[in-house]
Amino acid sequence: MCGGDFKVWREEDIPMIAYQWIKKMKMETGFRPTIIEKVIWNNEKDITEQVLKIVQAPLPSDDLPF
């Protein structure tokens, strides 16, 4: 279990900021298998589903050089 404090300018950015933080944690731990069980914002708002949608979204193919 991990936690952190973040400055957020817009409420709609919170799921993406949480995803980026989770991605950073994975990188720092050598990309060990990680299960996202619950993501809570402001000690009360559950944004787990929003973060999981970002995790499961396909990578954009327009950035590929071929």
Side-chain angles (χ1 to χ4, degrees), residues 5-46:
D5 293 322
F6 309 94
K7 277 199 170 195
V8 177
W9 301 109
R10 296 182 317 176
E11 188 171 326
E12 59 267 13
D13 294 339
I14 293 171
M16 182 57 78
I17 292 169
Y19 165 73
Q20 290 169 345
W21 189 76
I22 291 167
K23 192 169 135 182
K24 181 181 174 207
M25 284 187 343
K26 285 179 157 183
M27 189 170 57
E28 289 174 356
T29 60
F31 292 98
R32 292 182 184 168
T34 305
I35 297 171
I36 300 171
E37 291 183 353
K38 193 171 238 186
V39 183
I40 301 213
W41 167 61
N42 206 20
N43 291 326
E44 60 187 45
K45 296 182 182 179
D46 188 347

